[in-house]
Amino acid sequence: MTTKSRPTVEHYRQGYPRLAAFLNLDPNFTIFRRFDTLHLRVLLEQQDRLCELQQQLEDCDDAETVQLNLSSRRQDDNRTRRNVLQQVATELKDYDKGVLRFHRMISLPRARKRHRRSVHNWVNGNKPVVRSESASLIAAPSAKDYIALHAEDSDRAGFELFFDRVVQSYPRLASYVSHGMAKTSDRNVFILRRNLYGRVIKCLVALSIPIGIIFPMLLLYRFEKSESRSAISAIFVLMASFAICFMTKVTKYNLLLAVVG
């Protein structure tokens, strides 16, 4: 009994089917625009409608001649006020939903520039949809309102970013750590093997730790003057601090506590 192999991107028809298949190649490709300005434009309009209704309600209350209508909701026979309150309830419901929805939207992680560039390059090169409908996909990779539906690993930091740049700069190296050919016949697409990628990063970290400890010790043994030793110690302490800051996701306060401790 033969098992059906997973279809490649090129198996799908040119157009939105192939575009969706490409975006599904890697979780990092599932990026979408947040449309910040449009969200805010709608919220501002809803906010202004509520301000108008609030003013209408206050005017209605000020013009009320029957005190009982203001003192009892059940016996209030002012139809104008009842209609305004119903409109307020409807508008508030939509406004609250919009505010909370936009809050959740801006809480999503921002798409990395390199991932936006990957999608941008593929869409520009393959042109799966007509140009007028691909504007959001081929926008400048530096655009700021793109979100990623897939959150990166919490400990992903400088080493990973450095390795990404190395892989992108040397396509031959990328071919050894990717499995893109199993998902697409496009030789310009490299999908990194997550397990292998993680092991390589761990090896780099494991090698950097003893090198960072042993190398300054060897230098200290070569110099006998205290001034030289002090200078070497100060330089490597500064290098270690900068390495921790830029190669890890440690917060500034945790770094301060570690140094003081």
Side-chain angles (χ1 to χ4, degrees):
M1 183 177 179
T2 60
T3 58
K4 294 181 66 177
S5 59
R6 184 179 178 182
T8 63
V9 171
E10 289 71 26
H11 170 82
Y12 295 88
R13 290 285 301 273
Q14 175 76 334
Y16 278 100
R18 187 171 298 180
L19 174 60
F22 169 75
L23 296 179
N24 193 43
L25 272 182
D26 188 90
N28 291 319
F29 292 164
T30 54
I31 59 178
F32 295 91
R33 284 193 64 184
R34 197 166 57 194
F35 293 106
D36 293 350
T37 303
L38 292 180
H39 273 98
L40 292 171
R41 181 70 179 270
V42 172
L43 288 176
L44 286 172
E45 184 163 335
Q46 292 175 327
Q47 179 178 257
D48 186 62
R49 286 202 296 266
L50 284 169
C51 289
E52 285 184 322
L53 290 172
Q54 182 180 26
Q55 187 61 50
Q56 292 177 25
L57 183 61
E58 292 175 355
D59 293 342
C60 183
D61 291 342
D62 292 340
E64 181 61 65
T65 58
V66 180
Q67 181 60 40
L68 182 62
N69 289 341
L70 294 175
S71 302
S72 173
R73 179 191 62 82
R74 298 180 183 180
Q75 301 183 64
D76 183 9
D77 60 358
N78 190 317
R79 302 311 306 167
T80 300
R81 178 164 41 249
R82 306 316 306 171
N83 290 335
V84 171
L85 283 171
Q86 287 180 359
Q87 293 179 57
V88 168
T90 301
E91 290 291 340
L92 273 178
K93 184 177 181 181
D94 293 339
Y95 179 73
D96 293 346
K97 283 184 178 179
V99 169
L100 293 175
R101 187 165 55 241
F102 186 52
H103 177 266
R104 290 196 299 270
M105 185 73 76
I106 62 177
S107 299
L108 291 171
R110 182 172 291 176
R112 295 278 187 177
K113 186 176 180 179
R114 63 182 182 279
H115 299 150
R116 297 198 306 270
R117 186 182 293 111
S118 296
V119 174
H120 174 275
N121 291 340
W122 187 87
V123 172
N124 251 345
N126 291 268
K127 296 178 174 54
V129 295
V130 295
R131 187 171 183 82
S132 60
E133 296 182 28
S134 63
S136 61
L137 296 167
I138 61 175
S142 58
K144 301 297 184 183
D145 67 339
Y146 280 84
I147 55 172
L149 300 186
H150 171 73
E152 290 188 329
D153 297 337
S154 58
D155 62 344
R156 184 180 175 85
F159 271 111
E160 288 82 355
L161 299 179
F162 172 75
F163 189 66
D164 282 350
R165 292 191 181 96
V166 171
V167 170
Q168 291 175 1
S169 302
Y170 299 96
R172 181 169 295 182
L173 175 62
S175 64
Y176 290 109
V177 295
S178 70
H179 58 97
M181 296 308 295
K183 299 181 179 182
T184 176
S185 59
D186 190 341
R187 295 185 178 276
N188 295 316
V189 177
F190 299 100
I191 308 298
L192 297 180
R193 295 186 179 94
R194 294 295 168 185
N195 293 335
L196 177 60
Y197 184 83
R199 288 196 291 268
V200 170
I201 296 301
K202 288 181 179 179
C203 289
L204 289 175
V205 173
L207 287 172
S208 65
I209 293 174
I211 291 174
I213 295 174
I214 296 173
F215 186 64
M217 292 176 60
L218 294 176
L219 287 178
L220 289 174
Y221 278 120
R222 293 201 58 178
F223 294 92
E224 297 181 356
K225 292 183 178 181
S226 58
E227 294 84 358
S228 300
R229 291 191 170 195
S230 300
I232 292 172
S233 299
I235 290 172
F236 275 94
V237 168
L238 288 173
M239 290 175 61
S241 298
F242 279 103
I244 293 173
C245 286
F246 294 105
M247 302 299 284
T248 67
K249 286 190 174 181
V250 63
T251 64
K252 53 184 177 295
Y253 299 111
N254 289 338
L255 177 62
L256 180 62
L257 291 174
V259 172
V260 173

